[in-house]
């Protein structure tokens, strides 16, 4: 199994880290839910949790459902 070995020095790699190109995703990158963007089900779960937290904050005298003794 022969392959090409690419050798870069430390200075070059550290310079690449600060490059603007390294900080932005490529323009032609496809949107894959759960890989390059949040999965749709994750977004729904986040909204549900946010609503639940807001409703628990609105009722300060009551125990949260998951902590009922």
């Amino acid at each position: 199994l022969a392959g090409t070995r690419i050798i870069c020095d430390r200075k070059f790699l550290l310079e690449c880290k600060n490059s603007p190109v390294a900080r932005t995703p490529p323009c032609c990158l496809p949107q894959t839910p759960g890989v390059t963007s949040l999965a749709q089900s994750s977004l729904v779960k986040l909204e549900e949790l946010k609503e639940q937290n807001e409703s628990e904050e609105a009722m300060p005298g009551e125990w949260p459902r998951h902590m009922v003794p």
Side-chain angles (χ1 to χ4, degrees):
L1 295 170
T4 303
R5 176 176 259 177
I6 299 173
I7 301 173
C8 301
D9 65 343
R10 183 177 186 275
K11 182 180 178 244
F12 172 75
L13 292 174
L14 288 173
E15 289 171 359
C16 289
K17 178 178 82 168
N18 296 325
S19 168
V21 175
R23 297 185 180 269
T24 57
C27 62
C28 58
L29 190 68
Q31 294 297 316
T32 307
V35 178
T36 58
S37 63
L38 286 177
Q40 186 64 26
S41 61
S42 296
L43 291 173
V44 172
K45 288 179 185 178
L46 285 173
E47 286 296 321
E48 289 174 356
L49 288 172
K50 182 180 175 184
E51 290 173 5
Q52 181 181 1
N53 286 341
E54 289 173 353
S55 66
E56 288 175 359
E57 289 173 0
M59 297 178 264
E62 296 184 20
W63 286 77
R65 278 184 258 157
H66 62 279
M67 295 181 64
V68 174

